[in-house]
């Protein structure tokens, strides 16, 4: 009887761990994104610069169409691309393809259209590669107690619990490098010249106060620039 109960416990435990799905992660992201959009709306910031908003849409939509082709799961997602003139958010994509891009950030770095395409493609790559889901799974592997707790708490912890964030940093670093690589390839497949895409990373490195050092969960900007140049050269050599 004891053994049987233990077996049941294990089953329940495994079930809880397996319960987190892409759909659940997307629902959580949708809720957080909606909250942020409501805040921006209340501050008259949401998509408030029509020229900038149209520029971002014009560059983002072909990337999203390419992603739908290359990552078929994402074709069914309710993608959204919004912009804000100011604010702390540089640019991000939440699970399920919810993007926000800051005009202040794009203007500060003086991004060309190709460089903006690289920024967007990096964010789109995070979404289609399911980086959020993989991060939550890694958190539950590192700290199994999370399997028993509500998902909303874990969602908050990966952004605010510094001890957990430190443990997740190696994965975050790999995900950033992967989003750089797969994002550059995605934008290149859309038709952007690879060397022009790579220059986004040159601008990041130039704007950085410490280009040779890793930043929290991001590889060193100089390293990202070097990797992008190498990938661009390889894509150029391979041809379309
Ligand atoms: Zn990233």
């Amino acid at each position: 009887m004891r053994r049987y109960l233990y077996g049941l416990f294990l089953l329940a435990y495994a079930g809880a761990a397996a319960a987190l799905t892409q759909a659940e992660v997307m629902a959580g992201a949708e809720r957080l994104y909606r909250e942020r959009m409501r805040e921006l709306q209340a501050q008259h910031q949401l998509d408030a610069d029509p020229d900038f908003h149209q520029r971002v849409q014009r560059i983002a939509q072909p990337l999203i169409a390419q992603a739908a082709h290359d990552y078929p799961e994402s074709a069914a997602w309710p993608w959204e691309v919004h912009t804000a003139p100011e604010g702390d958010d540089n640019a991000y994509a939440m699970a399920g393809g919810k993007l926000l891009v800051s005009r202040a950030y794009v203007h500060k770095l003086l991004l060309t259209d190709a460089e903006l395409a690289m920024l967007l493609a990096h964010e789109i790559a995070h979404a289609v590669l399911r980086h959020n889901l993989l991060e939550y799974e890694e958190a539950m592997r590192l700290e199994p107690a999370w399997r028993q707790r509500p998902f909303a708490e874990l969602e908050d912890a990966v952004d605010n619990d510094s001890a957990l964030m430190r443990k997740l940093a190696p994965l975050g670093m790999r995900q950033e490098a992967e989003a750089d690589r797969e994002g550059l390839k995605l934008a290149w497949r859309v038709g952007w010249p690879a060397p022009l895409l790579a220059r986004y990373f040159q601008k990041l490195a130039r704007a950085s106060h410490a280009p040779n050092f890793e930043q929290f969960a991001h590889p060193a900007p100089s390293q990202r620039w070097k990797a992008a140049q190498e990938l661009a050269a390889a894509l150029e050599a391979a041809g379309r």
Side-chain angles (χ1 to χ4, degrees):
M1 186 61 186
R2 202 189 172 101
R3 169 167 291 208
Y4 172 70
L5 277 177
Y6 184 63
L8 265 186
F9 172 75
L10 274 183
L11 258 182
Y13 192 78
L20 189 60
T21 61
Q22 173 68 9
E24 202 172 343
V25 173
M26 279 173 57
E30 159 75 30
R31 180 171 39 73
L32 294 174
Y33 187 75
R34 206 51 57 212
E35 262 170 39
R36 182 76 188 110
M37 295 309 110
R38 265 198 296 273
E39 274 170 25
L40 288 170
Q41 180 103 59
Q43 297 157 1
H44 307 286
Q45 294 274 304
L46 186 65
D47 306 334
D49 176 342
D51 290 343
F52 178 70
H53 188 67
Q54 270 167 29
R55 181 183 174 212
V56 169
Q57 289 289 350
R58 172 171 56 78
I59 296 169
Q61 292 309 328
L63 293 167
I64 291 169
Q66 185 70 37
H69 175 268
D70 299 342
Y71 303 87
E73 168 194 42
S74 74
W77 292 352
W79 287 85
E80 280 183 67
V81 181
H82 288 290
T83 58
E86 313 296 334
D88 311 328
D89 319 294
N90 293 339
Y92 61 70
M94 298 178 76
K98 306 289 191 193
L99 280 76
L100 181 67
V101 186
S102 149
R103 182 185 63 182
Y105 177 69
V106 171
H107 285 187
K108 186 182 80 183
L109 290 178
L110 301 171
L111 298 186
T112 63
D113 282 356
E115 292 156 1
L116 177 54
M118 183 62 240
L119 167 67
L120 293 166
H122 171 101
E123 298 305 329
I124 290 167
H126 275 310
V128 294
L129 294 167
R130 293 176 160 215
H131 279 172
N132 287 127
L133 175 61
L134 294 171
E135 184 184 37
Y136 297 132
E137 286 174 347
E138 176 75 350
M140 291 189 291
R141 194 184 66 78
L142 292 167
E143 295 184 357
W146 284 110
R147 294 169 200 246
Q148 313 302 328
R149 297 170 64 178
F151 171 55
E153 286 178 25
L154 177 56
E155 207 176 28
D156 183 61
V158 298
D159 286 332
N160 297 304
D161 174 340
S162 56
L164 178 61
M165 288 162 73
R166 259 195 305 280
K167 291 187 201 171
L168 288 170
L171 172 71
M173 201 84 85
R174 290 196 299 278
Q175 290 187 334
E176 289 308 321
E178 190 184 20
D180 284 352
R181 203 167 52 242
E182 296 310 315
L184 197 154
K185 283 153 62 180
L186 177 79
W188 176 75
R189 288 194 295 273
V190 164
W192 293 99
L196 299 188
L197 294 167
R199 277 190 210 160
Y200 167 66
F201 298 99
Q202 184 180 31
K203 289 210 173 146
L204 274 191
R206 280 185 181 158
S208 168
H209 299 299
N212 297 317
F213 291 91
E214 292 171 359
Q215 285 142 14
F216 194 78
H218 281 75
S222 59
Q223 178 54 40
R224 296 175 77 187
W225 165 223
K226 183 167 172 282
Q229 281 174 285
E230 285 168 5
L231 175 57
L235 291 172
E236 288 284 284
R240 285 187 193 278

